[in-house]
Every structure is written in structure tokens, then in C-alpha cells.
Amino acid sequence: MTRRLRAQDSRIGLGALDPQPLVALTRPPASAETSFARFQPELPFCSSEERSVPMQIIQNRRRFLAGAASAGAAGLIGTSTQGWAEPLPETTSVRLPQYIGGAYCWAGLYLAGEMLRAEGFTDVRYVQGDKKVDHSAWIANGETDFSVNYVPIHLASIDAGVPIRVLSGLHSGCLELIANDSVKGISDLRGKRVGVFTLDSPQYVLVSLMAAYVGLDPVNDIEWVIEEHNFAEGFVERKYDAVLGQPPRTQELRSRKVGHTILNSTTDPPWSQHFCCMISATADYVDRYPAATKRVLRAILKGADLCASDPSWTAGQMVDRGFVPSYELALQTLGDIRYDRWRDFDAEASMRFYALRMYETGMIKSSPQEIISSGTDWRFLDALKRELKT
């Protein structure tokens, strides 16, 4: 079903955005939990195929596949000797999110499971929550211990009082604003139709911020079209003039030669200068299990390194382990997104950039500094940047 309306026709207007729907604090139906034990393919230590690839990639694979053996009791993979003295994890359990058949850009998170076994974890579960709500609801409801989400969604959760801590950036570049021929740039969205899931969805929030940044009034200048099912198909069917795509929808539209990109968060500043997705954990997990938190974050960031150094192998792992169905779309996604920026980008600067935009437009009530003070913890990232030098 497709509905057309302007933002002021909804219970949520840009100037008075209620962040509560973004975190959906009502408990969704029971999650589908996946033990990582299901995803342990039979893989050779070094296949004949590997003989034709660069040595650095082979070493990355060997570290990943032989993790426990090479790490020893300390559970470290290819780290400096100072890591051997770090404390053991206070818990050996962790619940990570998965989005069955989607979330191709979560590749670093999906590779982390095997490395967590080498970090001393014996119970690593990937949890699929209710797909009818944003996955910010999963961590808010205590269904997962960690989450990966767009920066504005983390900010809205913190502003709404959800007890999470943003720990690090994961990658940049998974967003493309795609339009038809009547739209050449963001400023041309005045009077145009933009497709979104709902008026409290991440797509609405992000496009609103992009439009406001160039001086448009998203409430009055844009006609928002609600497409509750496949919003990419709605664009193909010309129900609206523009849509914000993320993997795998962006890659699908590109392969069909539908529309053109008017903003690419990989290449177009200021969006390209900040993380699009960041990693968070529940405040309870961080406070009770700091050593475990560091080890989980280390595994995810090592997964991001593998995404950058060997995308073809990573794409195969994502498919072989049942996280995504398409190798081709996974490989395209890994080529489009920058997983190599977690060391270089300033995570706090990304939080502040988006928080300022949201505060100025009334999307959040807390000041950027209040958000950063109460909802971030950079201790683990700072330590890992020193430890995991390239």
C-alpha cells in the first residue's frame, strides 16, 4: 500500500519529532536466535585458490580460520604482545544482531563470530528481532547486547533515554540518494515526491537532514510518499521521484539501470567525511563486562579489516554462513562501502555532526554534548587503535 502525505499530516513533524517510535520500546515478538555453531563451514587452511592471491590476503584468511590456534589462550589474533596481559572476558556470552536476507553492510559484524571463539567466547548468538520495527528496538528491549545502526538512530535512542553506549564507527558510505531525471541535485527535491517506509523511519530522518542541510524545509517542501513494503520497487514504478537506497537495494537499482545518484555518502562531503553506521552496546553490558566489550569490539573491527582487504572471500563467507543470499550483491556492497576508515575517522566528530543537525531541526531535545557525554564510551576504541595498527 502506498500513501502520499506531507510531514505535517503525520503525528511526526520535522520540528517536533518524537524519537520514541524510532526505538519502539514495546517488546516485539520472540526473536529468532542463531547459534554461531551453525555457521562453521569446512574450509581448508590454504586452498589452491589462495595461491593466486596476494600474501597479505592469505595471511588475513589464515588468521581468521586458524584463530584459536594462532591466538592461544589469550584469544588474540595477530595483535601485539601487550595484549597477552589483558584480563579474561567476564562473560563468554554475547548476542549480536542479524537481519536475515538483508543488512549486507553488516559484514564486519557477521565475520566477528568466528573470531570471538578465539577471544574466549563459547556462546555467540546472532539474533533476528522483529523486522517490522527498526533494529534499534532490539537492543532497547534487551534482545541483543550490541547493535549496528545509522548515527541519527543511535542519537535518537540516546535522546529518548535508551541506555546504550556508542563505542566506535564501523564504516562509511552505505547510503545513496537515487532520483529520476527530473531531479539533478538535493535542492531539486523542492515540490518532489520522496519514498520512505514511514515518517519515523531512518530514511525519512536521513533525507530530511540532507534536505535541511541545503536549505530546504523538509516539512513543507517535500511530498513524502509512504511505501510500506518494497520502497525500491515503488521507485521503479514511478510512485515517487527519489528514494534513499542502502545495500542491497542500491546495488539492485544500479544493475537495472534505474535512476541516478544525486548524493553518495562514500564520495560526497560532508556526509563522506563521517561514519554512516556505528557500533553500540547496552550500557549494562559495557559496565558489567568491560573486558568482554573490548574483545567483542576488537572482533568486529578485525572483521571490518577483512572486508577491506579481501572482499571476495568475505562475500563468500557471508553467503556460506547464511547471513545473505547473494554473493554478487555482497561483493558489490563490499566494493562500495569504506570499511577501512574506523582508524582514521573521528567517531565523536561524526556523532557531533549529526547531533548538531538533529538538534537544529528539533529532532532531538538534548544538546550534542549531552548526547556525547551520556551515550558514548571511546575507551575501547582508543585502546584498539593503538593495538591494531596497520
Side-chain angles (χ1 to χ4, degrees):
M1 180 180 70
T2 302
R3 294 184 285 121
R4 298 181 184 178
L5 68 166
R6 292 188 184 274
Q8 63 264 38
D9 298 324
S10 168
R11 58 190 169 84
I12 297 178
L14 186 64
L17 181 68
D18 176 7
Q20 200 69 7
L22 291 174
V23 296
L25 294 177
T26 54
R27 183 171 296 278
S31 305
E33 295 188 3
T34 303
S35 169
F36 195 81
R38 289 184 53 200
F39 303 116
Q40 297 180 20
E42 296 293 331
L43 293 170
F45 182 72
C46 181
S47 68
S48 59
E49 177 185 297
E50 285 182 324
R51 299 188 187 110
S52 64
V53 301
M55 180 60 67
Q56 180 60 47
I57 291 177
I58 294 176
Q59 292 302 322
N60 285 335
R61 291 177 180 174
R62 286 176 171 172
R63 285 176 184 160
F64 183 83
L65 299 174
S70 63
L76 301 175
I77 307 175
T79 62
S80 60
T81 54
Q82 66 184 18
W84 292 86
E86 72 179 16
L88 294 174
E90 303 88 349
T91 178
T92 58
S93 298
V94 65
R95 297 168 301 165
L96 305 173
Q98 70 171 354
Y99 197 94
I100 298 172
Y104 281 68
C105 63
W106 291 4
L109 178 79
Y110 291 156
L111 289 182
E114 181 68 20
M115 285 183 279
L116 283 171
R117 296 175 64 216
E119 291 278 6
F121 286 78
T122 59
D123 180 21
V124 179
R125 282 173 284 166
Y126 283 91
V127 179
Q128 166 76 71
D130 184 0
K131 296 175 73 170
K132 295 179 182 178
V133 298
D134 184 76
H135 48 275
S136 58
W138 307 349
I139 191 170
N141 293 331
E143 297 176 89
T144 62
D145 302 309
F146 283 74
S147 183
V148 173
N149 216 323
Y150 301 116
V151 183
I153 307 308
H154 286 309
L155 293 167
S157 295
I158 296 167
D159 186 59
V162 178
I164 62 171
R165 306 269 175 78
V166 177
L167 305 176
S168 171
L170 180 58
H171 60 250
S172 67
C174 65
L175 297 170
E176 290 189 38
L177 190 53
I178 301 171
N180 59 28
D181 291 339
S182 70
V183 180
K184 305 302 182 184
I186 297 178
S187 59
D188 295 330
L189 291 177
R190 189 187 305 273
K192 300 297 185 179
R193 303 162 300 165
V194 176
V196 293
F197 283 121
T198 64
L199 288 182
D200 54 28
S201 66
Q203 291 78 18
Y204 170 74
V205 173
L206 287 160
V207 176
S208 294
L209 293 176
M210 294 170 182
Y213 191 80
V214 299
L216 294 182
D217 177 357
V219 174
N220 297 305
D221 290 342
I222 295 175
E223 180 181 350
W224 300 96
V225 181
I226 305 301
E227 178 59 67
E228 297 176 342
H229 301 291
N230 191 330
F231 70 95
E233 284 303 315
F235 179 70
V236 173
E237 296 167 5
R238 301 184 179 183
K239 294 178 181 179
Y240 27 87
D241 303 297
V243 67
L244 185 66
Q246 68 275 329
R249 301 293 174 241
T250 304
Q251 288 71 25
E252 290 173 346
L253 290 173
R254 187 185 303 145
S255 67
R256 297 167 69 177
K257 299 183 178 356
V258 177
H260 67 106
T261 299
I262 63 172
L263 186 149
N264 186 325
S265 64
T266 302
T267 58
D268 296 333
W271 318 99
S272 62
Q273 298 167 336
H274 298 283
F275 292 109
C276 63
C277 293
M278 301 186 76
I279 304 163
S280 67
T282 65
D284 181 66
Y285 196 96
V286 172
D287 292 340
R288 294 176 62 191
Y289 312 129
T293 298
K294 181 184 176 183
R295 288 172 182 259
V296 174
L297 185 60
R298 176 164 52 211
I300 296 172
L301 295 179
K302 281 177 173 284
D305 285 344
L306 281 167
C307 292
S309 66
D310 196 352
S312 60
W313 181 80
T314 298
Q317 291 293 296
M318 293 169 67
V319 174
D320 290 345
R321 298 181 180 194
F323 289 115
V324 300
S326 171
Y327 173 84
E328 290 75 17
L329 290 175
L331 185 60
Q332 288 179 43
T333 298
L334 291 163
D336 290 339
I337 293 176
R338 295 298 300 269
Y339 290 95
D340 58 345
R341 290 179 168 169
W342 69 264
R343 291 179 179 84
D344 304 323
F345 277 12
D346 186 330
E348 184 169 314
S350 293
M351 292 284 286
R352 191 179 303 278
F353 170 80
Y354 279 101
L356 281 169
R357 308 284 86 76
M358 296 179 75
Y359 187 70
E360 291 168 353
T361 54
M363 290 185 173
I364 58 175
K365 297 178 181 179
S366 305
S367 71
Q369 191 55 49
E370 289 172 332
I371 292 280
I372 291 169
S373 296
S374 64
T376 65
D377 191 334
W378 310 126
R379 292 174 298 160
F380 311 104
L381 176 62
D382 291 341
L384 291 171
K385 280 185 176 181
R386 294 190 297 270
E387 178 184 317
L388 302 178
K389 293 181 179 180
T390 54

